Amino acid sequence: MCMDVLLVDDEAGIRKVVGITLADMGHKVHLAANGDEALEVFRRERPPVVLTDIRMPGMDGLELLRRIKEESPDTEVILVTGHGDMDVAVQGLKLDACDFISKPAGPEVLEIALKRAADKIAMRSRMRHYTENLEELVRQQSEKLVGLERQSAAKEAVEGLTQAMGGLAGEVAGEFAMFNALPCLVSIQDRDQRVISVNRLYRERLGDRVGQPGFAIYAGAAGEGLDSPVARTLRTGQGQKSREGLFGPEESLTAVTVHTAPIHSANGQVDLVLEILVEASEVQRLQDELRTTRQRYQQLFDEAPCFITVQDRHLRIQAANRRFRQEFGPATGGLCYQAYCGNDRPCFGCPTLKTFEDGQPHQSELTVRGKDGQTVNVVVWTAPIRNALGEIEGVMEMATDITELARMQDHLASLGMLIASLSHGIKGLLTALDGGVYKVNAGFRTGNQEMVQSGWEKVTGLIGRIKGMVLDILFYAKKRELQLRSMDARDLASQVAEAVVPKAEQLGVVLNIEIDANLGVFSVDEVVLSAALVNILENAVDACLEDKSKPEHTVSFRARPDASGVFFEIEDNGIGMQPDTLARLFSVFFSTKGSRGTGLGLFIAKKAVDQHGGRIGAVSEPGQGSTFRIWVPREQ
Amino acid sequence: MAKKIMVVDDDPDIVEYLVSIFKEKGYETCSAEGGEGAMEMLERERPDLLTLDLEMPEEWGPRFYRKFSQKPEFKDLPVIVISGLAGIHLAIRKAVATVSKPFEPAQVLEIVEKTIGKP
């Protein structure tokens, strides 16, 4: 134990003796003869222990004690007195004196008193140390706590941000889930550019860099830390946007767009920096992909070989593809059954309504009406469209045009009918032919010239019919390519008229021919078209024969030009047709002539006109007559 | 008095043919092309045999058969079906024979003779 000790006494002898004793004990001794001097020395040397006489001229020991304790409470003061004076001793202790010893102070007493002072000092120092330690501990812990708090707040911010971005991206991208993984690497860095928190993608791509310098991921100057985006943000206090190179796997470099935003603390200084990295190429790629996918869907939607609509519960059309719009007009917002059928109420057994009811796909076959009034046979499939909650929000309806298929089915059915019908017809004709031959033979046998004549006429007529029928069958059974030739329409019309003149004359029907002199030229298959026209003209003559109500019958054959084609009209005042006959007029095997007709004539006539890209139609009044109108374009 | 055959067919050529065959053989004939007139004629002429074409428009043949065969006086009237199609005779079970078109006149005459005898 070795201390600085200030010894204060007005008696020089005592100062000397005690001073030597203290020095012998190993202490460094400072001497003062009175209070003022003592304070002076104390202020200069700052000794931890002061040993002072109480009775001194001027400032006494108690006053000195009080003043030292004022200036330095930790200094230990030992009071020394000449005789036992308890009052003074009590006063001294009240003033926080360390000890109280009597004169003459021997070495043992001094040693004990000084040791006590030293212990007190040591204890106080330890106490102080403990206290200070505790404070440091509390400070350290609080700092740690604050740090954690800040980190978790930052993490929350990052997650919130990522979520917000995801949500935003979700909104932008609609149902495309890939955008939920928006390619943003987000981190929050502190003032030392150390990473505090990162988002999932950052961790996946660059590793968990929490605690490491945030700029280390960059190539070039930004990777140095002085010119990184975060450093610039810290320096300027402003958000930054720049393009940087990012070290990728295998030394590759990726271009990224870096956005930073300062996060200010309460005192207004930039405390944290938010850094968002967006891979430029990735964004471009995703945008491209999205665009192509959308285009592909749109294309699929539009180009699918069927009519697609999306409908709500009231069968209001929400969306319609291009083919639907082409065939049924721009019906978006309209009602399905109005657009498809022109009906006031949903179709019977509507598959879309069924799907709304049970959530299952349904199918049905319907006949609908196109924009131009043409009937279209469709097969309808439906499928529910559900929202995120699984509720049926709409129904997609796909209608496939099977008109052509239905036509083919008809054709196949017709072929079956053909066999039945024709075999009957041909057998009937052959039987009748037998009858004619029988009559001729009987005439020869009996020498009855008239009978031979009449039988032969029958045979000739029947052979004509058989020939016509065989030609019809051949035409029907085999698809004949048109052999188009440019010709004067007037020539064709005249030929047709001439072909019918003998029959009309023979049967006493007036044939009225009105052919415009300037019919012009058109490009047609002469054989096919004239056969069709002759067929209709012959029908007109037949219709006159059937009618017994009028004394005179006339068939008019008119031909006149129009801008883009030639118009033919065949009008008779024959028996006319009932509405149901008119409706089935051009269908195959429909005949009003019983076993005399094949039911092919008008069917073939229509086919011929159709092949030429023309139009054929008929109007009729029962008992009054019929009119057939045919229009053939000049060019196909 | 010669036996009478009634010919019903919607094709007048065939009617004429059958009629001339039967006439030449010595039978009496009458004929109808269908419609209301056929029933009237049947009741008026009271033929001994009927040839019937089944394939007339609107299934007139079978209906005509059903109509007259329900009447007691025609219940046993022999009918020869003259048809362009095999199998159609099943529509008339009591037909004495079915002859396909085109037919041999001799075959028809043979059936007629077997059924009602010589004229």
Side-chain angles (χ1 to χ4, degrees):
Chain A
M1 192 184 71
C2 171
M3 298 182 293
D4 277 24
V5 179
L6 173 59
L7 178 61
V8 188
D9 203 312
D10 55 333
E11 288 175 51
I14 288 175
R15 282 202 304 273
K16 195 167 183 178
V17 172
V18 174
I20 289 168
T21 310
L22 289 171
D24 282 351
M25 288 163 132
H27 300 295
K28 188 177 179 190
V29 182
H30 305 279
L31 298 172
N34 55 53
D36 292 322
E37 197 186 337
L39 275 177
E40 198 190 310
V41 175
F42 176 78
R43 280 172 191 148
R44 192 175 64 234
E45 303 293 338
R46 288 276 167 193
V49 180
V50 176
L51 197 68
T52 182
D53 187 17
I54 291 175
R55 292 185 187 272
M56 291 187 295
M59 191 191 295
D60 69 2
L62 287 177
E63 179 62 17
L64 182 65
L65 166 65
R66 202 180 51 78
R67 306 227 345 220
I68 286 174
K69 280 287 177 185
E70 263 178 21
E71 285 185 25
S72 169
D74 288 353
T75 302
E76 296 305 330
V77 178
I78 301 164
L79 294 175
V80 186
T81 186
H83 43 84
D85 186 344
M86 286 310 290
D87 284 352
V88 174
V90 170
Q91 277 183 51
L93 290 172
K94 275 185 183 166
L95 287 170
D96 199 18
C98 171
D99 210 346
F100 190 84
I101 57 178
S102 311
K103 278 183 182 175
E108 287 95 27
V109 173
L110 276 175
E111 195 163 359
I112 289 165
L114 283 173
K115 187 174 184 304
R116 206 181 272 171
D119 283 351
K120 211 174 168 184
I121 287 168
M123 192 193 282
R124 186 182 290 121
S125 158
R126 252 200 319 279
M127 282 289 287
R128 174 159 299 136
H129 181 72
Y130 284 146
T131 313
E132 277 175 359
N133 241 2
L134 194 64
E135 273 171 7
E136 174 65 17
L137 213 66
V138 168
R139 199 186 59 77
Q140 276 177 7
Q141 290 297 335
S142 346
E143 248 177 31
K144 215 166 162 184
L145 221 64
V146 167
L148 278 172
E149 192 89 334
R150 202 161 60 161
Q151 200 171 327
S152 84
K155 190 163 172 255
E156 243 166 58
V158 170
E159 277 169 2
L161 189 75
T162 315
Q163 242 173 33
M165 279 179 157
L168 192 72
E171 251 168 54
V172 170
E175 66 271 37
F176 297 98
M178 61 180 155
F179 242 90
N180 289 337
L182 194 72
C184 277
L185 312 184
V186 185
S187 69
I188 289 189
Q189 299 173 24
D190 64 11
R191 289 196 59 79
D192 298 326
Q193 299 194 53
R194 289 193 186 277
V195 175
I196 292 174
S197 184
V198 297
N199 74 338
R200 189 175 50 79
L201 199 67
Y202 191 106
R203 192 156 42 242
E204 279 171 13
R205 293 288 300 276
L206 302 169
D208 194 351
R209 305 186 62 86
V210 171
Q212 297 177 48
F215 50 79
I217 57 172
Y218 294 119
E224 300 294 323
L226 285 175
D227 197 34
S228 69
V230 174
R232 286 198 299 271
T233 310
L234 288 166
R235 202 155 56 228
T236 60
Q238 302 288 318
Q240 304 285 318
K241 184 186 169 187
S242 59
R243 306 263 301 173
E244 305 292 349
L246 194 67
F247 281 124
E250 288 153 23
E251 313 264 306
S252 63
L253 269 180
T254 321
V256 288
T257 306
V258 182
H259 299 258
T260 57
I263 299 172
H264 295 94
S265 62
N267 62 18
Q269 76 167 8
V270 178
D271 205 22
L272 299 168
V273 178
L274 176 72
E275 186 189 58
I276 302 172
L277 277 67
V278 185
E279 273 184 71
S281 59
E282 184 71 359
V283 169
Q284 192 61 43
R285 191 185 66 74
L286 282 176
Q287 276 175 349
D288 286 351
E289 197 171 297
L290 182 63
R291 193 160 45 236
T292 355
T293 313
R294 278 198 174 151
Q295 267 172 0
R296 219 175 292 141
Y297 272 107
Q298 189 64 39
Q299 214 171 353
L300 198 67
F301 187 65
D302 274 342
E303 298 305 326
C306 44
F307 312 115
I308 308 178
T309 54
V310 176
Q311 300 173 18
D312 69 8
R313 229 159 245 290
H314 308 290
L315 305 183
R316 203 164 280 286
I317 296 170
Q318 313 275 310
N321 72 341
R322 196 173 54 76
R323 284 181 67 115
F324 179 93
R325 296 194 301 272
Q326 258 174 11
E327 190 68 31
F328 300 101
T332 308
L335 293 160
C336 167
Y337 43 89
Q338 275 175 1
Y340 262 131
C341 314
N343 284 346
D344 294 334
R345 61 192 63 204
C347 305
F348 181 73
C350 171
T352 301
L353 287 178
K354 282 187 196 164
T355 299
F356 268 118
E357 231 167 73
D358 62 9
Q360 299 294 315
H362 286 278
Q363 188 196 334
S364 78
E365 224 169 282
L366 294 168
T367 303
V368 298
R369 212 159 276 279
K371 211 162 38 178
D372 49 3
Q374 291 264 329
T375 55
V376 181
N377 296 58
V378 290
V379 176
V380 180
W381 280 279
T382 58
I385 298 171
R386 294 174 192 276
N387 62 15
L389 298 172
E391 295 160 342
I392 299 174
E393 245 182 1
V395 166
M396 184 170 76
E397 189 185 278
M398 286 172 66
T400 311
D401 185 348
I402 54 156
T403 311
E404 205 53 46
L405 196 69
R407 215 173 272 160
M408 276 166 68
Q409 272 176 345
D410 275 357
H411 190 81
L412 283 172
S414 303
L415 277 174
M417 281 164 63
L418 180 78
I419 292 160
S421 157
L422 292 186
S423 65
H424 170 235
I426 287 174
K427 282 171 182 172
L429 281 175
L430 291 176
T431 311
L433 191 63
D434 280 353
V437 172
Y438 180 88
K439 197 168 189 178
V440 173
N441 285 340
F444 278 132
R445 218 168 33 239
T446 57
N448 186 339
Q449 194 58 38
E450 206 181 307
M451 204 176 192
V452 172
Q453 181 69 33
S454 137
W456 189 246
E457 271 175 18
K458 204 171 275 294
V459 169
T460 315
L462 285 163
I463 285 172
R465 273 172 64 193
I466 290 170
K467 185 178 154 193
M469 182 182 258
V470 168
L471 288 176
D472 280 0
I473 293 163
L474 290 181
F475 189 95
Y476 180 75
K478 195 180 164 198
K479 192 179 165 159
R480 186 179 182 281
E481 289 299 318
L482 289 184
Q483 284 159 7
L484 297 174
R485 190 171 66 87
S486 188
M487 68 178 298
D488 195 332
R490 205 175 139 79
D491 289 349
L492 184 121
S494 306
Q495 280 172 30
V496 168
E498 277 162 27
V500 187
V501 166
K503 182 174 180 176
E505 268 178 5
Q506 196 193 344
L507 298 170
V509 173
V510 178
L511 190 59
N512 172 32
I513 298 165
E514 299 167 27
I515 298 171
D516 193 288
N518 302 308
L519 274 189
V521 173
F522 62 176
S523 179
V524 295
D525 186 319
E526 187 185 346
V527 175
V528 170
L529 191 61
S530 56
L533 291 170
V534 167
N535 194 312
I536 296 167
L537 263 176
E538 284 186 338
N539 277 350
V541 174
D542 288 341
C544 292
L545 285 184
E546 297 277 318
D547 177 48
K548 316 280 190 230
S549 67
K550 306 179 194 84
E552 250 184 30
H553 288 101
T554 309
V555 170
S556 295
F557 176 54
R558 305 185 188 95
R560 48 177 191 271
D562 76 1
S564 56
V566 179
F567 190 78
F568 299 94
E569 190 173 73
I570 294 158
E571 185 180 2
D572 68 66
N573 63 346
I575 193 160
M577 290 178 277
Q578 297 292 336
D580 62 327
T581 302
L582 199 60
R584 295 162 65 197
L585 201 57
F586 297 107
S587 54
V588 72
F589 300 129
F590 176 74
S591 176
T592 57
K593 297 183 186 173
S595 63
R596 255 178 254 249
T598 59
L600 285 172
L602 280 179
F603 173 76
I604 288 167
K606 175 168 166 47
K607 204 168 151 185
V609 174
D610 282 350
Q611 269 187 301
H612 279 87
R615 302 265 165 75
I616 185 167
V619 289
S620 183
E621 194 65 43
Q624 301 295 309
S626 308
T627 304
F628 282 76
R629 297 196 176 93
I630 299 111
W631 177 82
V632 179
R634 288 188 197 282
E635 294 293 333
Q636 307 302 306
Chain B
M1 191 180 151
K3 298 202 169 100
K4 193 184 274 174
I5 300 171
M6 179 167 162
V7 175
V8 181
D9 196 309
D10 67 325
D11 187 337
D13 289 334
I14 291 172
V15 170
E16 193 188 334
Y17 180 29
L18 282 167
V19 163
S20 52
I21 291 169
F22 296 143
K23 262 190 181 157
E24 202 186 26
K25 199 72 187 169
Y27 291 102
E28 272 197 44
T29 58
C30 60
S31 64
E33 293 185 13
E36 283 304 306
M39 199 66 206
E40 276 170 33
M41 177 167 285
L42 185 66
E43 300 204 321
R44 191 175 64 239
E45 300 282 341
R46 302 265 164 180
D48 300 293
L49 185 139
L50 184 81
T51 74
L52 179 63
D53 179 11
L54 289 183
E55 288 148 309
M56 289 186 282
E58 320 238 328
E59 296 195 339
W60 189 84
R63 278 197 283 160
F64 174 62
Y65 174 81
R66 209 172 305 129
K67 205 166 154 191
F68 77 71
S69 62
Q70 275 163 5
K71 300 194 174 189
E73 62 264 42
F74 299 120
K75 202 177 66 182
D76 297 320
L77 175 67
V79 176
I80 297 176
V81 172
I82 296 186
S83 155
L85 277 182
I88 194 105
H89 63 282
L90 293 174
I92 296 170
R93 293 203 190 139
K94 284 198 242 168
V96 293
T98 301
V99 178
S100 298
K101 292 178 187 172
F103 51 83
E104 280 299 317
Q107 188 204 351
V108 177
L109 285 171
E110 197 188 315
I111 295 165
V112 169
E113 216 178 283
K114 246 193 224 167
T115 312
I116 57 169
K118 290 182 191 295

